[in-house]
Amino acid sequence: MTKRNALLLGSIMVSILLTLITVAFMLEMSGTIVSAKNWTNDQPTSISQKSTKAIIKSNLLAKYRKIAANYPGHPVSIAVYSKEYGMTVKYNNNRHTAYKTASIIKTAFLAKVLHDHQAKRTKLTKTQRAEAAGAMIHSNNEDATALYAVAGGRTGMNKAFSHLRMAHTADRGYGWAFTRTTAFDQLKLLDQIFYSTCYLNRASKSYMQGLMNHVAKDQNWGVSAGANHFQLKNGWRLRGGRWMVNSIGHIGKGKRSCTIAVLTDRHTDLKRGIKYVEQFASATGNTLKLKNLR
């Protein structure tokens, strides 16, 4: 091979090598561009999720305001936690955020008693199981008072509220039905019954859910208006010629579910108060699409 041919061949090889490097670089860049497009396409999903949550929250609040506007002079506080969207929505039309519990407090009594048994590694006695069923299924006040005593009365319950970080809930010694609370505080209790396992173990949660799933037929109202699957505890009491009507619980099933607390006051009759509560529950179930789940 002549020197000239050798130089020519070397030049060709260098050219080929440069071409290969260029192609490789372009392919690498192409892969980067594809990855960038995929990443960009992923972003609308995240943005869409945030947008959906914002729209749902806005729709819920608009519906709550509209319902409340149709009942002037009737205080209401509602709080909802959606498991599907991982968000909490709160609405209150009254400058006083605390409401009297009436019989929804019985749920807290049983939770405290079960928690104490867990700590001692003991089980409910036969008598306590009967009292729990009476208080939760039939809302029997004598059974509830017995559970209240087992839970430690005022001192024991206030310790439980502190443990659960229910900062605006307190038994001030005026009778357990007049324990003051907020809808948002009630969500903290409901979370321990239906989602978390920090305060109650699985067996205790299942037991409470079972009782709340089998309330007496004449008490099967309130948040049950929000879905065909529900667990609840209601509270109602006449004082000074006006009714306080409350309902707390869990509606939907699995991921498609929410905990909900609706607290109201100053109703002229019980039926009107129930209708008021159920409108909020129904609006919640419709907006979160929890009705008619199989």
Side-chain angles (χ1 to χ4, degrees):
M1 181 183 293
T2 65
K3 185 176 181 180
R4 181 180 179 182
N5 288 340
L7 290 172
L8 180 61
L9 179 61
S11 178
I12 292 171
M13 290 182 68
V14 170
S15 179
I16 292 172
L17 181 61
L18 288 173
T19 301
L20 289 173
I21 292 172
T22 302
V23 170
F25 179 76
M26 290 179 69
L27 287 173
E28 180 68 22
M29 287 300 294
S30 176
T32 303
I33 292 169
V34 170
S35 297
K37 287 183 178 179
N38 288 341
W39 180 84
T40 303
N41 287 337
D42 283 342
Q43 297 316 294
T45 302
S46 178
I47 294 171
S48 176
Q49 288 174 348
K50 292 181 180 179
S51 177
T52 299
K53 289 170 67 171
I55 291 171
I56 290 174
K57 184 174 183 178
S58 178
N59 287 344
L60 279 173
L61 290 173
K63 290 178 180 180
Y64 294 161
R65 292 188 190 100
K66 185 175 180 180
I67 295 168
N70 291 329
Y71 290 78
H74 291 79
V76 60
S77 177
I78 178 171
V80 174
Y81 171 75
S82 168
K83 184 173 179 62
E84 180 177 8
Y85 296 103
M87 70 173 181
T88 300
V89 179
K90 297 183 286 184
Y91 173 75
N92 181 55
N93 72 341
N94 183 31
R95 64 187 180 89
H96 300 294
T97 57
Y99 290 70
K100 298 176 184 67
T101 59
S103 288
I104 62 169
I105 192 63
K106 296 169 185 176
T107 310
F109 294 168
L110 181 54
K112 173 64 163 60
V113 171
L114 288 169
H115 175 76
D116 289 347
H117 273 290
Q118 289 173 191
K120 299 174 184 176
R121 297 186 178 181
T122 55
K123 296 182 179 181
L124 293 177
T125 66
K126 184 177 180 180
T127 297
Q128 289 169 356
R129 292 182 73 87
E131 291 166 348
M136 297 298 292
I137 296 175
H138 302 287
S139 205
N140 183 281
N141 288 336
E142 291 183 2
D143 287 330
T145 299
L147 284 180
Y148 177 63
V150 175
R154 178 187 177 190
T155 301
M157 289 311 304
N158 282 332
K159 285 183 179 179
F161 301 145
S162 178
H163 190 154
L164 292 169
R165 298 184 179 181
M166 298 169 70
H168 302 287
T169 301
D171 180 342
R172 298 181 178 179
Y174 301 122
W176 54 254
F178 297 101
T179 299
R180 297 185 71 80
T181 191
T182 64
F184 184 56
D185 269 6
Q186 289 300 305
L187 284 194
K188 296 177 182 178
L189 172 62
L190 292 168
D191 176 67
Q192 298 301 322
I193 299 170
F194 293 99
Y195 299 137
S196 178
T197 54
C198 296
Y199 191 73
L200 298 175
N201 60 29
R202 294 184 184 279
S204 294
K205 286 171 57 179
S206 179
Y207 178 64
M208 289 201 70
Q209 290 172 22
L211 293 176
M212 296 175 75
N213 192 45
H214 292 90
V215 295
K217 190 174 181 180
D218 63 334
Q219 296 176 31
N220 192 8
W221 50 263
V223 298
S224 56
N228 55 322
H229 295 280
F230 57 84
Q231 296 83 30
L232 60 79
K233 181 69 191 83
N234 297 324
W236 62 99
R237 193 174 183 89
L238 180 65
R239 189 187 189 198
R242 298 281 176 164
W243 288 90
M244 59 181 85
V245 183
N246 305 324
S247 186
I248 65 171
H250 174 265
I251 58 177
K253 59 187 298 189
K255 186 176 180 181
R256 295 281 300 281
S257 67
C258 75
T259 47
I260 177 172
V262 187
L263 312 180
T264 72
D265 202 354
R266 298 186 66 187
H267 301 287
T268 53
D269 62 76
L270 179 58
K271 288 184 178 180
R272 183 175 173 82
I274 291 174
K275 183 180 178 181
Y276 191 43
V277 169
E278 290 187 337
Q279 286 185 58
F280 288 100
S282 182
T284 302
N286 283 330
T287 304
L288 296 177
K289 298 180 180 179
L290 303 179
K291 293 190 174 183
N292 302 317
L293 293 176
R294 293 183 178 181

